[in-house]
Amino acid sequence: VPVLFIPMFLTPNGTTGLYNLILFLLPYRATMPEISKYISYQFGGFVMDALAVRAIVYTILTAVFIPLSRLGFKKQIPLLKKLLFTIQQFIKSR
């Protein structure tokens, strides 16, 4: 959640440093298109615009974090089963 709100208070500093390049990839800046500025990312001799880099980075992050979230939810399954069992017992007792 901080990734969504902290960038609201950060502004680009006018130079083309790593700070600005990361800032333009964050979700808040993604909702504010910079039409007057062309923001590009260079990887060796390959140059991409900010929209393409966002798509690639977000796809990679999704592919990494979905399996990690599954591991986190596996720990919660016994608790959810216990809660469901308790709710069922409560309903049956009425």
Side-chain angles (χ1 to χ4, degrees), residues 50-72:
L51 185 62
V53 174
R54 276 187 201 126
I56 292 169
V57 168
Y58 290 173
T59 302
I60 291 170
L61 288 175
T62 301
V64 168
F65 283 109
I66 285 179
L68 291 177
S69 66
R70 182 177 180 204
L71 293 174

Side-chain angles (χ1 to χ4, degrees), residues 23-57:
L23 186 64
F24 285 116
L25 289 178
L26 296 174
Y28 178 72
R29 287 285 170 184
T31 61
M32 299 176 0
E34 301 283 338
I35 295 174
S36 63
K37 302 175 189 172
Y38 184 76
I39 302 158
S40 62
Y41 294 81
Q42 184 173 357
F43 304 102
F46 191 66
V47 179
M48 297 172 56
D49 66 333
L51 185 62
V53 174
R54 276 187 201 126
I56 292 169
V57 168

Side-chain angles (χ1 to χ4, degrees), residues 8-23:
M8 291 172 56
F9 304 106
L10 302 175
T11 57
N13 61 7
T15 61
T16 58
L18 185 62
Y19 168 76
N20 285 342
L21 294 176
I22 292 173
L23 186 64

Side-chain angles (χ1 to χ4, degrees), residues 73-91:
F73 279 110
K74 276 186 179 179
K75 295 176 184 176
Q76 301 299 324
I77 289 175
L79 294 173
L80 293 174
K81 285 182 179 179
K82 188 175 182 180
L83 178 65
L84 183 61
F85 179 75
T86 306
I87 292 171
Q88 288 173 345
Q89 292 301 321
F90 177 76
I91 291 173

